[in-house]
Amino acid sequence: MRRYTVLALLAAAVVSTGGRAVAHHAFASTYMEDRQVSVEGDVIQLVYRNPHALLHVVARDRARQGQKWTVEWESRGALDHQGVTPITLKAGDRVVITGNPSRDSADHWMRAQRIVRPSDGWRWI
């Protein structure tokens, strides 16, 4: 009987832990994973934190009006392992960002897939 109790507790722990991980990474509920957009603009701020770093950029639309975009990036830990630091991108840096747009286009949010800084060729993919 004790063996079944241990197995049941172990199974419950695995199921409950896995559910939270999947729920946290359900990008499809927030972003259109089947679409990509690109914006070119100037960095306002890099918020280097967990669970995801955020990059704030001002990009010009077709009418030459500035639009603030919020770009959801990887976690701080993942970026650290890829050589990205809190000062890799600074305010004023011109960047071209390609990613998945949010489901509500008025939000001006995207999930980063690629970031390029044309001035020196730095890129994150």
Side-chain angles (χ1 to χ4, degrees):
M1 184 60 137
R2 178 177 162 90
R3 180 178 179 195
Y4 292 112
T5 303
V6 170
L7 286 174
L9 288 173
L10 182 61
V14 168
V15 168
S16 67
T17 303
R20 281 196 299 270
V22 169
H24 174 77
H25 291 284
F27 289 115
S29 65
T30 305
Y31 301 101
M32 290 190 269
E33 293 185 313
D34 60 336
R35 291 192 51 215
Q36 284 195 336
V37 296
S38 289
V39 297
E40 181 173 351
D42 299 320
V43 172
I44 301 170
Q45 179 184 27
L46 170 59
V47 181
Y48 201 72
R49 64 177 176 96
N50 282 322
H52 299 277
L54 298 175
L55 187 61
H56 299 286
V57 176
V58 171
R60 303 266 178 224
D61 63 11
R62 291 183 181 141
R64 306 290 300 150
Q65 298 295 315
Q67 293 179 335
K68 181 181 174 190
W69 281 81
T70 301
V71 180
E72 187 172 1
W73 208 354
E74 297 284 335
S75 70
R76 180 179 178 155
L79 292 172
D80 285 342
H81 288 292
Q82 297 168 19
V84 177
T85 71
I87 60 170
T88 297
L89 296 173
K90 297 177 271 319
D93 283 351
R94 167 82 50 181
V95 291
V96 178
I97 305 169
T98 303
N100 306 115
S102 69
R103 293 201 168 273
D104 183 353
S105 62
D107 286 345
H108 299 331
W109 272 70
M110 81 166 65
R111 177 179 172 218
Q113 298 295 317
R114 179 178 182 191
I115 302 173
V116 177
R117 184 175 48 213
S119 66
D120 63 1
W122 177 88
R123 61 186 62 233
W124 176 86
I125 299 175

